[in-house]
Amino acid sequence: MTKKKKTKRKAPGLDSSVQHGFHLMAKPAGPRCNLNCNYCFYLEKRPFFPQSDFRMSDEVLEAYTREYIASQPGPSVEFAWQGGEPTLMGINFFRRALDLQRKYSLGKEISNALQTNGTLLNESWCDFLARNNFLVGLSMDGPPTFHDRYRLDKTGRPTHETVLRSLKMMQQYGVETNVIVSVNKESSRHPLEVYRFLREHGVRFIQFIPIVEREADSEAERLGLALAAPPSLNREEKTSRVTEWSVEPQQYGEFLIRIFQEWVKNDVGSIFVMNFEWTLGAWARVPAGVCYLSPRCGSNLIIEHNGDIFSCDHFVYPAYRLGNILADDLREMVLSKQQIAFGASKETELPEYCRSCDVLFACRGGCPKQRFARSPDGEPGLNYLCTGFKNFYNHVNPYMKHMVNLIHKGIPVKKIMETADELAVSE
């Protein structure tokens, strides 16, 4: 097929989110974890930090806290702690973090979010998290059949029983919790089994994350990695195969569709599936609720345990290192030409196939990490999950329009459950 010439858009300047604020998520334990999940893209990054003890020092913690708060123009600042496994740092580390947040708060409202595999939580942790109003993202891939397929500890033992016990404990202590579900090739074939399991166990906030990784390419092999680095959107490259656990595009779309149909008939207003909330936001034409659905990237960065700043969680590679919190000015790193170009390329390097797509306003080309496929006319830079996204967005279109109508009329969105069957027939 004849390949169309790509028309690049001029980057007009900074994304407004970068101009007015940015998010800097911390990895205090770096790629250190007590689990050995098969599909994890991050554990293999340990060689990037030779001779490291993988613990954020008090010096880095203080600099991060001080500079991050000072750099935010708004009245509130959210600290997010991820890994690896951040609870390996122990409760006292987070007590120090809270003390420093109070010290450098500048009168701003400070909040904290923690993402964890849940295996190290106990009553002391739950009491601490509840008392200090942490929002906890708990990784759980549904029932044991799917969770224990890939989420194993270092000795190869399953972890589901421990994680479920932690979920129940957090619920008892009143910890605000959402469950983060990694959707892989196997679990994607059983959407209702995954969704209903979470519902039966009292989970009210759910986020589905598609697992998409590629086998090592030449760049990954040069870096000593088993998984391919993200594609460069502004140049062509040889595409490597996806891993055996990666979700298939059409199956991921069907996974979302089937859960949506269950949710829209029974659970609107009582269970919040973030993927559907973000979709409704797109139809309501409000700013995207998550980075990969934004027109541009660049305003969600990472600080590593040693103070290194990287462009994005999925781009923790030497080429995307912007500097170090102990040696460089945080605001200057965020506003650097390197970071601006990184963020703008998500939009400027969109294939023509995407630019003419009816649902571009919703998906915005998806995460750049997954844009290694080719469009039907052979143009590079298409999101691997494109067909799944399109199927899902086209399916939910009448429902989203109806919900936006309800919002404009001041009617609770949950009223859609009364007409969900009629909308299904009218598709």
Side-chain angles (χ1 to χ4, degrees):
M1 289 181 287
T2 303
K3 184 171 62 179
K4 292 181 180 178
K5 184 178 180 181
K6 184 184 294 185
T7 303
K8 296 186 178 181
R9 292 183 177 178
K10 181 180 179 182
L14 297 178
D15 186 328
S16 61
S17 61
V18 177
Q19 290 178 339
H20 302 296
F22 59 92
H23 191 244
L24 184 61
M25 183 169 67
K27 292 180 175 285
R32 184 165 61 106
C33 189
N34 60 318
L35 300 190
N36 191 30
C37 303
N38 302 64
Y39 55 59
C40 184
F41 65 88
Y42 187 55
L43 295 184
E44 66 173 4
K45 305 294 176 57
R46 292 174 72 102
F48 291 168
F49 309 99
Q51 301 177 332
S52 174
D53 62 355
F54 298 107
R55 290 188 64 85
M56 182 175 281
S57 68
D58 288 345
E59 182 184 18
V60 170
L61 176 61
E62 183 160 10
Y64 163 49
T65 307
R66 181 183 63 247
E67 298 302 319
Y68 183 40
I69 293 175
S71 69
Q72 299 303 300
S76 61
V77 183
E78 180 187 89
F79 283 80
W81 309 92
Q82 200 186 62
E85 177 49 45
T87 60
L88 287 170
M89 298 297 294
I91 293 178
N92 285 337
F93 171 85
F94 289 97
R95 290 196 176 107
R96 289 195 299 276
L98 293 176
D99 288 341
L100 290 168
Q101 290 171 8
R102 286 187 283 267
K103 178 179 179 180
Y104 293 109
S105 69
L106 299 176
K108 300 178 181 182
E109 181 182 351
I110 309 296
S111 61
N112 286 274
L114 175 80
Q115 185 171 333
T116 177
N117 59 42
T119 59
L120 301 178
L121 298 182
N122 54 28
E123 292 197 5
S124 295
W125 265 111
C126 291
D127 181 66
F128 170 80
L129 295 168
R131 286 179 182 274
N132 293 286
N133 300 310
F134 273 68
L135 169 63
V136 175
L138 179 68
S139 294
M140 176 184 277
D141 292 353
T145 304
F146 308 121
H147 180 96
D148 287 336
R149 185 178 180 91
Y150 296 114
R151 300 192 66 81
L152 307 174
D153 67 15
K154 297 292 187 183
T155 64
R157 292 178 300 187
T159 62
H160 187 272
E161 183 180 349
T162 303
V163 177
L164 184 59
R165 184 165 59 246
S166 293
L167 172 64
K168 295 302 181 183
M169 196 184 311
M170 286 194 288
Q171 290 171 338
Q172 291 169 3
Y173 273 82
V175 179
E176 188 176 353
T177 307
N178 64 57
V179 169
I180 300 168
V181 181
S182 295
V183 183
N184 57 63
K185 186 175 183 178
E186 178 62 25
S187 64
S188 68
R189 298 188 175 103
H190 306 273
L192 296 185
E193 191 173 342
V194 172
Y195 178 70
R196 289 170 179 169
F197 174 87
L198 298 174
R199 182 175 61 190
E200 289 165 6
H201 286 277
V203 177
R204 296 188 66 241
F205 293 87
I206 306 168
Q207 178 180 343
F208 295 113
I209 299 178
I211 294 297
V212 177
E213 297 293 339
R214 293 179 297 154
E215 296 175 357
D217 55 8
S218 57
E219 175 64 10
E221 290 172 352
R222 184 184 69 81
L223 294 170
L225 305 177
L227 299 174
S232 296
L233 300 183
N234 59 359
R235 67 178 175 84
E236 294 190 36
E237 58 183 49
K238 185 177 179 181
T239 301
S240 57
R241 295 184 303 176
V242 295
T243 59
E244 62 179 357
W245 55 78
S246 291
V247 65
E248 297 172 348
Q250 290 188 337
Q251 189 61 55
Y252 182 62
E254 183 64 19
F255 175 90
L256 292 177
I257 288 170
R258 292 189 63 194
I259 292 176
F260 179 84
Q261 286 306 125
E262 175 90 356
W263 173 81
V264 80
K265 293 180 181 180
N266 304 292
D267 301 320
V268 179
S270 60
I271 295 179
F272 300 87
V273 180
M274 301 316 297
N275 308 68
F276 306 157
E277 300 290 323
W278 298 328
T279 301
L280 179 58
W283 258 257
R285 299 303 195 267
V286 299
V290 66
C291 60
Y292 76 87
L293 298 178
S294 297
R296 294 188 170 199
C297 295
S299 59
N300 290 273
L301 299 89
I302 291 295
I303 180 168
E304 268 288 349
H305 63 290
N306 65 347
D308 283 349
I309 308 292
F310 289 87
S311 294
C312 167
D313 183 24
H314 292 292
F315 288 76
V316 178
Y317 296 88
Y320 299 94
R321 181 183 179 275
L322 300 173
N324 187 282
I325 196 72
L326 298 179
D328 304 290
D329 181 85
L330 177 56
R331 194 74 182 171
E332 289 181 4
M333 286 186 275
V334 176
L335 300 178
S336 65
K337 290 182 179 179
Q338 177 182 347
Q339 185 65 3
I340 292 171
F342 168 81
S345 66
K346 182 177 191 287
E347 181 178 31
T348 60
E349 301 297 334
L350 273 173
E352 292 299 328
Y353 181 75
C354 293
R355 297 185 193 282
S356 60
C357 179
D358 290 341
V359 295
L360 175 62
F361 74 95
C363 88
R364 299 295 181 180
C367 180
K369 178 184 178 181
Q370 298 166 351
R371 283 170 56 180
F372 54 80
R374 289 179 177 271
S375 67
D377 60 6
E379 191 176 9
L382 184 70
N383 195 292
Y384 167 77
L385 295 172
C386 174
T387 55
F389 283 138
K390 288 185 73 171
N391 290 344
F392 169 69
Y393 289 132
N394 285 324
H395 176 85
V396 302
N397 178 49
Y399 301 91
M400 292 299 160
K401 287 181 177 178
H402 188 72
M403 284 193 276
V404 170
N405 260 339
L406 292 175
I407 292 171
H408 288 163
K409 293 177 180 178
I411 300 173
V413 173
K414 66 180 181 181
K415 284 288 185 178
I416 193 173
M417 291 188 288
E418 299 174 6
T419 56
D421 287 331
E422 295 174 22
L423 289 167
V425 172
S426 67
E427 280 186 77

